[in-house]
Amino acid sequence: LVTWNVGTAAPPPDVSSLLQLDSLGPTMDMYVIGLQEVNSKITNFLSDLAFDDPWSIFFMTVLSPLGYIKLSSVRMQGLLLLIFVKHVHLPFIRDLHTQFTRTGLYGYWGNKGGVTIRMSLYGHTVCFMNCHLPAHMENTEQRLDDFEKILEMQFEGENIPSALEHDVLFWFGDLNFRIADYGIHFVRESINNKRYNLLWEKDQLNMAKKKEAFLQEFIEGPLHFKPTYKFDLYSDVYDTSEKKRKPAWTDRILWRVKNLCQHAPKEGEFSEEQQTISVTLNNYISHMSYGISDHKPVTGTFGLELKPLVSEPLVTLNPEGEWSAEHDVLINYSAVPEFPSSAWDWIGLFKVTFRHVNDYVTYSWVEDDEISSNKGGKQVYMSAAEIPDAGGEFLLCYYSNNLQSIVGISQPFQV
């Protein structure tokens, strides 16, 4: 999970270290990227609504060759939230919904607020919330009020659980909490001597977590990295401008597991429900080498251990026979009995490195292009005219209109 206030800058040339692409450990299953202050001049914003913004395109270009697709994204002015996931998980991710809540200038022009993506992941509900809260030392109350408002308003009136009702909620962003009371020299000395612990008790978010009931269930890893704000551009020197802002941990990642809050077992009891999903923080770090903005990006790497409540894809599909551009081809598929199919469902042919669900080469409507149907499954044809002459490695994906997501994916095959 990445949070980064990019200060309206363009993407940097390389994000390998940010995304830990060069690490020797196991590869990530999912990337959740929350950006704040993405360039949102009105003209940019309007053209970005029609096309993907430069940051989305940038991350797709980096991640799609590695087998990740953009699962979902949501944008509100300068706030952008992107989720990329490995192909293999696609059929087990359902009920995707996005939402945004404006705060800021009387909620008028959405310069502050929150954007959220929620989903059912192997049957567990998970919610990701990227926030940009009000700035300045004296606005702690306003930050807390805004966050509470965002929590209440997300998915209100829709047939979706509230953010706090999800099994796991990740809350992150430029939360803008500052270090109270201490003077700038003491803060800078403590940082220079790597004695960050001297500053923790005056961190406004840590202070609020002790007082505010709704924050007490949120967990955060230890702040063993330098405060990530405010730096001179392209340097690791704190603000030398006239304002000389006091350094602060404005960029944070917290999480909350619902079961831990409500089902703590009594002495000597064992609670089965607690075991269905758990979150482990593997590392929580800042990345000092990125200098395009006055904030440094922060990443949290998490292990999500869950007991799958969903283990069968809703639809299983595979290509029939040899595929080439010389003749129409056939697709076999079968669905589980309870699958809510629709006349608007389609099966797409995708390159293995596809970027997102609309990145198909061609598709067939499951109803209009059906040629046979029996208990064992159905067959659909795909026209040779649309199949690439050059061939290559491809996948088939079944898109459900009712569930607004890919519910089945084939093994890769050659054309």
Side-chain angles (χ1 to χ4, degrees):
L1 205 153
V2 178
T3 177
W4 193 2
N5 180 324
V6 295
T8 71
D14 182 41
V15 283
S16 308
S17 67
L18 181 70
L19 301 179
Q20 297 173 34
L21 298 176
D22 31 22
S23 80
L24 297 168
T27 57
M28 305 294 163
D29 293 279
M30 184 185 280
Y31 283 98
V32 178
I33 300 166
L35 305 178
Q36 306 86 37
E37 290 193 28
V38 170
N39 190 345
S40 63
K41 295 196 184 87
I42 293 181
T43 49
N44 284 52
F45 181 60
L46 295 178
S47 66
D48 288 353
L49 280 180
F51 312 101
D52 273 314
D53 64 280
W55 281 94
S56 299
I57 292 167
F58 170 74
F59 281 114
M60 282 192 277
T61 307
V62 171
L63 289 169
S64 62
L66 304 175
Y68 296 92
I69 86 147
K70 188 179 89 174
L71 176 74
S72 183
S73 64
V74 56
R75 167 130 194 225
M76 178 185 83
Q77 262 73 20
L79 274 171
L80 176 64
L81 178 55
L82 300 162
I83 297 187
F84 291 87
V85 64
K86 284 215 143 142
H87 296 159
V88 19
H89 301 299
L90 284 175
F92 306 102
I93 296 175
R94 299 175 195 166
D95 300 330
L96 272 164
H97 294 271
T98 62
Q99 177 67 273
F100 58 84
T101 299
R102 292 194 166 100
T103 58
L105 290 170
Y106 309 106
Y108 184 64
W109 183 235
N111 58 335
K112 296 284 192 290
V115 291
T116 303
I117 298 175
R118 62 85 58 193
M119 66 186 74
S120 158
L121 176 68
Y122 290 92
H124 299 270
T125 54
V126 185
C127 185
F128 298 95
M129 188 180 278
N130 171 24
C131 295
H132 192 183
L133 301 181
H136 308 307
M137 181 68 73
E138 64 279 6
N139 285 332
T140 306
E141 287 309 313
Q142 189 61 52
R143 288 189 268 280
L144 295 171
D145 289 351
D146 279 13
F147 178 50
E148 220 169 347
K149 177 179 166 185
I150 292 165
L151 277 176
E152 280 166 21
M153 289 179 68
Q154 298 291 287
F155 308 119
E156 196 180 32
E158 297 180 53
N159 199 6
I160 300 170
S162 73
L164 294 174
E165 283 298 304
H166 284 71
D167 296 329
V168 182
L169 167 61
F170 287 93
W171 170 41
F172 49 94
D174 178 357
L175 307 183
N176 254 319
F177 290 101
R178 306 303 168 101
I179 296 170
D181 301 347
Y182 297 143
I184 189 166
H185 294 297
F186 178 76
V187 171
R188 287 191 174 190
E189 269 308 288
S190 306
I191 295 167
N192 291 341
N193 298 322
K194 292 197 166 65
R195 297 188 65 187
Y196 309 129
N197 56 321
L198 298 178
L199 307 175
W200 292 343
E201 65 182 45
K202 293 296 181 184
D203 170 79
Q204 292 174 333
L205 180 53
N206 286 343
M207 288 156 69
K209 277 180 67 184
K210 291 187 180 130
K211 258 189 5 218
E212 303 285 343
F214 79 104
L215 287 181
Q216 284 166 4
E217 296 166 347
F218 283 92
I219 307 167
E220 184 180 23
L223 296 166
H224 288 317
F225 51 86
K226 290 167 80 159
T228 49
Y229 173 83
K230 175 186 183 182
F231 289 89
D232 291 348
L233 295 185
Y234 299 102
S235 81
D236 49 14
V237 176
Y238 283 108
D239 189 11
T240 57
S241 72
E242 274 175 39
K243 288 184 177 166
K244 285 210 173 36
R245 293 255 182 250
K246 190 161 59 165
W249 284 289
T250 52
D251 308 279
R252 310 285 278 269
I253 301 172
L254 296 90
W255 72 99
R256 175 185 184 275
V257 180
K258 184 175 147 206
N259 294 351
L260 294 181
C261 318
Q262 283 146 7
H263 301 286
K266 295 190 179 67
E267 200 73 25
E269 269 184 27
F270 175 75
S271 162
E272 179 58 34
E273 190 161 358
Q274 271 195 300
Q275 300 308 306
T276 58
I277 185 162
S278 68
V279 178
T280 314
L281 176 67
N282 297 331
N283 66 30
Y284 188 33
I285 53 178
S286 66
H287 297 261
M288 295 298 292
S289 62
Y290 293 92
I292 58 171
S293 111
D294 54 3
H295 290 251
K296 300 296 181 188
V298 170
T299 59
T301 307
F302 295 89
L304 219 60
E305 198 171 314
L306 41 86
K307 195 172 176 176
L309 305 175
V310 174
S311 51
E312 288 299 306
L314 293 172
V315 173
T316 310
L317 71 169
N318 49 60
E320 171 75 28
E322 188 171 284
W323 278 47
S324 81
E326 285 157 24
H327 53 80
D328 291 352
V329 290
L330 299 178
I331 300 161
N332 294 326
Y333 78 92
S334 61
V336 299
E338 68 274 15
F339 174 61
S341 69
S342 141
W344 296 103
D345 290 358
W346 49 273
I347 295 173
L349 178 67
F350 291 86
K351 287 185 170 160
V352 167
T353 55
F354 73 114
R355 294 168 161 222
H356 51 78
V357 72
N358 294 331
D359 199 13
Y360 48 79
V361 177
T362 179
Y363 63 89
S364 294
W365 294 106
V366 295
E367 230 165 79
D368 292 356
D369 299 318
E370 186 177 295
I371 50 174
S372 79
S373 171
N374 58 42
K375 260 208 174 82
K378 299 186 176 192
Q379 269 195 336
V380 174
Y381 83 95
M382 197 170 259
S383 155
E386 305 290 330
I387 291 175
D389 291 324
E393 202 176 11
F394 291 85
L395 293 160
L396 294 167
C397 295
Y398 187 110
Y399 184 83
S400 157
N401 188 60
N402 287 332
L403 298 175
Q404 296 281 303
S405 62
I406 288 173
V407 294
I409 188 163
S410 74
Q411 292 296 322
F413 63 95
Q414 289 298 128
V415 170

